[in-house]
């Protein structure tokens, strides 16, 4: 299905997932900190101070590199809803909000790696060992995951591949926490562009939390997952291999998912201009099937043709609550408006307590 950036019918879908992860807060502003972070743990103790890339996202490279670290023996922490990592100060419903960071939403100070990093020029790398933990690495390259229960934490990835981190079908348990994921504009395989910071090609949930994500055209791409407390910004537009401006989205889902997508307490910015392929800040598109079971809650959202594409006809159990739609790029948050293709009559669909950054309430127009 061809997506359009202008007004008019457009298939839309996205599913949103979140889990707030337990732990004691780490000192976020000091990126050189954290003397010890147990393998797999989302929080730290108090801080003190190449193979060629795959030609397409769906085709694995024939050359496999070894995992960057040995599997972690430590058990995965049990997530709770009382994490102390979540920034405080979110304004009450109806109040104006000057900027994401000032109002308690994620920004560069509260996301990304927290520790000193060790450089690793890996190029395209496959991970094939279950339970691998990648921590404290400054990776120039990309990770292709053919394993279960892999954790990437306190790491920086600078990619020139189709993706920064990709989970292959049939595998589960990927967690990407407190990491910085970016790319090199003009060096990617899609006519110099780069497409996905974190890509979930499978049917299981992926957790992405407290990450600083930039450059990639469709930054967080998945049908099911738990996306929370991330800062997505600085998307770089490009003309793709098809000779067209790549449609850009901070979060994108193509529909047909079997699980739940939670998008909670993120800052999602799409500064791409309407003439350079802007699609959505959140794009829930019915490209591969019906959109269902998505939660979009308590996010700061700005930019795109429409800030939110809501799933279109047939979308069910889509809950959009407590979000702030910012006017920092366009007076209506998106170039054409706040939301398109919202199915108000869909079973379980909820639109509640959403507002503009100046405090005005937002109500979706009827789906066209």
């Amino acid at each position: 299905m061809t997506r359009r950036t202008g007004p008019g019918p457009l298939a839309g879908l996205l599913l949103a997932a979140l889990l707030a992860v337990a732990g004691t807060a780490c000192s976020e502003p000091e990126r050189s900190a954290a003397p010890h972070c147990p393998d797999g743990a989302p929080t730290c103790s108090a801080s003190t101070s190449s193979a060629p890339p795959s030609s397409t996202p769906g085709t694995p490279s024939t050359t496999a590199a070894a995992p960057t670290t040995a599997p972690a023996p430590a058990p995965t922490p049990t997530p709770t809803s009382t994490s102390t990592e979540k920034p405080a100060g979110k304004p009450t419903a109806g109040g104006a909000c000057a900027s994401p960071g000032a109002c308690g939403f994620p920004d560069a100070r509260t996301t990304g790696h927290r520790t000193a990093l060790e450089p690793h020029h890996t190029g395209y790398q496959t991970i094939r060992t279950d339970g691998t933990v990648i921590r404290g690495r400054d990776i120039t390259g990309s990770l292709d995951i053919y394993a279960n229960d892999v954790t990437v934490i306190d790491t920086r990835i600078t990619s020139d591949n189709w993706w920064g981190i990709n989970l292959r079908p049939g595998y589960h348990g990927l967690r990407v926490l407190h990491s910085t994921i970016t790319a090199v504009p003009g060096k990617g395989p899609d006519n110099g562009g780069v497409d996905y910071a974190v890509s979930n090609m499978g049917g299981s949930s992926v957790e992405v939390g407290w990450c600083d994500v930039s450059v990639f055209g469709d930054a967080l791409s998945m049908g099911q997952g738990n996306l929370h407390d991330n800062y997505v910004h600085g998307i770089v537009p490009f003309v793709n291999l098809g000779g067209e401006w790549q449609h850009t989205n901070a979060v994108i889902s193509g529909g047909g998912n079997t699980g739940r997508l939670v998008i909670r307490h993120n800052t999602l910015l799409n500064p791409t201009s309407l003439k350079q392929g802007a699609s959505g800040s959140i794009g829930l598109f019915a490209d591969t099937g019906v959109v269902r079971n998505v939660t979009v809650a308590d996010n700061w959202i700005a930019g795109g043709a429409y800030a939110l594409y809501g799933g279109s006809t047939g979308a069910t159990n889509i809950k959009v609550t407590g979000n702030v739609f910012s006017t920092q790029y366009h007076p209506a948050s998106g170039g054409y408006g706040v939301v398109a293709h919202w199915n108000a009559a869909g079973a379980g669909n909820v639109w509640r307590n959403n507002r503009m950054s100046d405090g005005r309430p937002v109500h979706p127009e009827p789906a066209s």
Side-chain angles (χ1 to χ4, degrees):
M1 174 178 293
T2 301
R3 234 173 271 127
R4 300 189 305 174
T5 58
L10 180 145
L13 167 51
L14 184 150
L15 294 174
L18 157 108
L19 290 171
V21 182
T24 306
C26 195
S27 178
E28 298 286 359
E30 298 296 331
R31 291 290 176 80
S32 62
H36 176 68
C37 293
D39 283 346
T43 57
C44 307
S45 55
S47 61
T48 58
S49 14
S50 194
S54 172
S55 59
T56 64
T59 305
S61 169
T62 56
T63 304
T68 49
T69 68
T76 300
T78 302
T80 73
S81 59
T82 58
S83 171
T84 58
E85 298 270 352
K86 182 174 178 178
K90 187 174 181 295
T92 58
C97 202
S99 68
C103 295
F105 293 93
D107 62 10
R109 300 172 303 108
T110 59
T111 59
H113 59 278
R114 306 163 296 178
T115 62
L117 303 180
E118 178 182 352
H120 288 266
H121 295 269
T122 67
Y124 168 78
Q125 183 175 30
T126 57
I127 305 299
R128 299 184 180 274
T129 302
D130 290 352
T132 296
V133 172
I134 298 169
R135 179 193 291 279
R137 302 259 171 147
D138 188 351
I139 295 173
T140 302
S142 61
L143 302 177
D144 204 0
I145 311 296
Y146 292 83
N148 298 317
D149 302 320
V150 171
T151 297
V152 180
I153 186 169
D154 285 312
T155 288
R156 177 183 173 92
I157 293 177
T158 304
S159 175
D160 61 0
N161 199 354
W162 291 96
W163 58 77
I165 303 170
N166 181 45
L167 180 67
R168 291 287 176 167
Y171 299 94
H172 63 264
L174 174 63
R175 306 171 75 209
V176 184
L177 307 174
H178 295 289
S179 292
T180 302
I181 309 169
T182 190
V184 182
K187 298 295 184 180
D190 195 356
N191 202 29
V194 283
D195 291 84
Y196 314 109
V198 181
S199 170
N200 181 4
M201 297 177 67
S204 66
S205 182
V206 166
E207 180 183 5
V208 183
W210 303 289
C211 289
D212 183 322
V213 179
S214 61
V215 178
F216 293 90
D218 283 328
L220 302 178
S221 174
M222 59 195 67
Q224 42 273 314
N226 173 18
L227 312 178
H228 63 90
D229 302 286
N230 300 293
Y231 176 44
V232 181
H233 62 103
I235 291 173
V236 176
F238 62 92
V239 175
N240 61 26
L241 288 173
E244 300 176 339
W245 285 105
Q246 173 70 23
H247 292 297
T248 59
N249 300 271
V251 176
I252 186 170
S253 177
N257 62 296
T258 57
R260 170 172 289 279
L261 178 61
V262 176
I263 306 167
R264 189 184 303 274
H265 200 251
N266 304 278
T267 296
L268 304 173
L269 309 180
N270 185 354
T272 309
S273 76
L274 297 176
K275 295 181 179 180
Q276 293 181 305
S279 186
S281 286
I282 298 177
L284 303 180
F285 299 114
D287 291 345
T288 59
V290 173
V291 178
R292 60 173 72 89
N293 302 331
V294 181
T295 296
V296 180
D298 303 321
N299 301 282
W300 175 281
I301 303 169
Y306 287 92
L308 170 65
Y309 286 89
S312 196
T313 303
T316 59
N317 200 26
I318 314 299
K319 303 183 187 307
V320 182
T321 62
N323 299 283
V324 175
F325 290 90
S326 170
T327 60
Q328 66 192 89
Y329 302 125
H330 306 285
S333 192
Y336 299 122
V338 170
V339 58
H341 305 288
W342 171 253
N343 181 19
N349 291 350
V350 175
W351 182 281
R352 185 176 62 242
N353 295 335
N354 301 295
R355 68 187 188 281
M356 302 297 290
S357 52
D358 61 10
R360 289 175 293 146
V362 175
H363 304 288
E365 297 178 2
S368 56

